[in-house]
Amino acid sequence: MKKALTILSLALLGQASAATITVWTHFGDSELAWLRSQAADFKAKTGNTVNIVSVPFGEMTDKFIQSAPKGQGPDLLTTQPHDRLGQLAAAGVIEPMDKYVTSRTDLDKTALNAMTYQGKLFGIPMFAEAVAVVYNKALVPTAPTTWSAFLAAAQKNTGSGKFGYLADLSNAYMQYGIISAYGGYVFKNNGGTLNVKDVGLANAGADKASAFLNDLRYKYNLVPEGVNGDAAKSAFVQGRLGMFLTGPWDMGDIKKANINYGIIPFPTPPGATGKWSPFVGVQGTMLNSYSKNKVAAAQFAKQISSSDAQVAFNKAGGRIPASLSARTKLKADPVVQGFGKTISMGTPMPNVPQMGAVWGPWSNAIAQSVQKSGQNYGQILDKAVQEINSNIK
């Protein structure tokens, strides 16, 4: 009888210790199926149940900020972009995850930096994206690694209805790698902390970057006026474009067009003091600071960012993993390898709330800089930064 009671007590203890965690996700279709399979694996391993709730991507942040303090929010968000991290941290609704992530060696450093705010890790990165140069091997047989080789390949393929290189020159996000190469920056990074009082978008390097963007149109005659991302992609999938600055989001259409492609970083531009370093966007899993099941929730967050889980996630939706060993296991995938390289050499988009004051004035200035030949770049950028500073509270 005593033995039977002991067994019953242990069974009840096991049931009592099992947790049910709620995960909000914006994933759909195959990625949602992947997350459900991860939840099933997690329950089999730990006994903990994962309740998955679909929430539209555009509604998740505000809904979470409102519901978390009332105890109505999820335990985990899977996933949120890192540039919303500052807003979520400032609202006090996400928990630092440093104590749960004891080993970080398998996670891309750029992705980890993106998920760090005021010196604390507020999310476990899952996937990332950055732009790169996608080239058509039929037109550009050898990948150019220097500016001189790049320019020669681009000019060789320009004319008679063909283009050597196209990009949206008026898009500040797309062109940040060039701005960074010349020494421009959004907010000064001091040991991982962004100084929002130090905006570097009108310094001497930023002026040179705008001049180079202007040269791509008016000196080198590569990028005609009016070219945006859609026009460039259209020319590429038609086989009329040698090289194209884009991100992973366009690879589905490029694959459907049966273009024999390669993916490389943009070369160091002429006279630049540093290497091209594009903006990186990272999405990761964040932990509700009001959760009553933080340990179990963090355990699930770590599982879905692990190497094997990330390989399966890539197979489900094509995202570029933050896990370095997952990228190694996917070494036969040119998309993972090509964009993985530019992610690692990139710069995370600022994750502070003040970034909202930057996009409008900065985007207008970059667009204006390439509207006609020989602009007064210093004047254009100075005006933009004055507006940015006045908008930052």
Side-chain angles (χ1 to χ4, degrees), residues 357 384-393:
V385 170
Q386 286 171 10
E387 188 176 346
I388 290 166
N389 285 331
S390 68
N391 289 342
I392 291 175
K393 306 302 181 197

Side-chain angles (χ1 to χ4, degrees), residues 46-356:
T46 67
N48 297 322
T49 299
V50 180
N51 178 31
I52 296 171
V53 179
S54 293
V55 178
F57 179 75
E59 298 175 15
M60 192 180 288
T61 306
D62 290 341
K63 190 174 180 180
F64 179 65
I65 289 172
Q66 292 164 10
S67 62
K70 300 173 186 175
Q72 299 169 351
D75 299 283
L76 284 176
L77 298 175
T78 304
T79 54
Q80 281 286 276
H82 83 272
D83 57 349
R84 295 182 185 174
L85 196 154
Q87 178 188 1
L88 290 163
V93 293
I94 53 175
E95 178 90 355
M97 300 186 77
D98 302 87
K99 65 182 178 182
Y100 302 108
V101 186
T102 53
S103 176
R104 306 183 186 189
T105 55
D106 187 45
L107 294 170
D108 186 296
K109 286 183 180 177
T110 304
L112 281 169
N113 289 340
M115 286 287 165
T116 301
Y117 180 73
Q118 295 184 345
K120 295 177 181 177
L121 184 70
F122 274 98
I124 302 179
M126 276 187 59
F127 57 92
E129 63 184 23
V131 297
V133 175
V134 184
Y135 67 98
N136 183 336
K137 292 184 177 180
L139 301 177
V140 184
T142 304
T145 58
T146 64
W147 167 245
S148 59
F150 186 94
L151 179 60
Q155 291 180 329
K156 180 180 178 181
N157 285 287
T158 298
S160 303
K162 292 195 304 179
F163 303 93
Y165 173 71
L166 291 179
D168 187 345
L169 297 181
S170 65
N171 187 311
Y173 166 84
M174 297 291 289
Q175 301 304 334
Y176 180 76
I178 286 168
I179 295 164
S180 178
Y182 283 103
Y185 52 87
V186 181
F187 300 123
K188 189 70 172 178
N189 190 326
N190 297 318
T193 299
L194 298 177
N195 181 2
V196 299
K197 303 290 187 184
D198 186 345
V199 178
L201 295 175
N203 63 16
D207 290 354
K208 289 179 183 176
S210 283
F212 175 71
L213 292 173
N214 190 281
D215 285 347
L216 288 173
R217 174 161 291 161
Y218 298 106
K219 178 180 176 181
Y220 303 118
N221 297 312
L222 295 178
V223 185
E225 293 177 41
V227 169
N228 59 17
D230 289 339
K233 180 174 74 171
S234 178
F236 194 83
V237 298
Q238 291 167 12
R240 298 187 296 112
L241 171 59
M243 297 179 289
F244 168 38
L245 185 73
T246 190
W249 49 84
D250 278 333
M251 295 313 300
D253 290 334
I254 290 169
K255 288 178 181 178
K256 285 178 191 172
N258 291 316
I259 302 290
N260 183 14
Y261 65 87
I263 302 172
I264 54 172
F266 192 91
T268 301
T273 54
K275 288 186 176 181
W276 178 81
S277 181
F279 262 158
V280 177
V282 181
Q283 290 202 34
T285 302
M286 299 179 191
L287 178 61
N288 186 343
S289 60
Y290 293 90
S291 168
K292 295 187 170 91
N293 296 300
K294 290 176 184 173
V295 173
Q299 193 178 0
F300 183 65
K302 287 196 290 183
Q303 176 185 304
I304 60 177
S305 287
S306 65
S307 181
D308 287 344
Q310 286 290 284
V311 170
F313 185 58
N314 169 266
K315 301 287 188 188
R319 312 268 196 178
I320 314 299
S323 163
L324 298 176
S325 59
R327 290 185 198 167
T328 300
K329 291 170 186 173
L330 294 163
K331 62 185 177 183
D333 186 331
V335 175
V336 171
Q337 296 311 305
F339 288 109
K341 184 173 183 178
T342 61
I343 288 164
S344 293
M345 65 191 288
T347 302
M349 277 191 297
N351 58 15
V352 292
Q354 290 85 350
M355 189 64 191

Side-chain angles (χ1 to χ4, degrees), residues 27-50:
F27 295 165
D29 301 328
S30 56
E31 290 184 339
L32 181 58
W34 167 86
L35 188 60
R36 285 176 175 150
S37 72
Q38 288 292 316
D41 288 347
F42 187 68
K43 183 170 185 177
K45 289 176 188 172
T46 67
N48 297 322
T49 299
V50 180

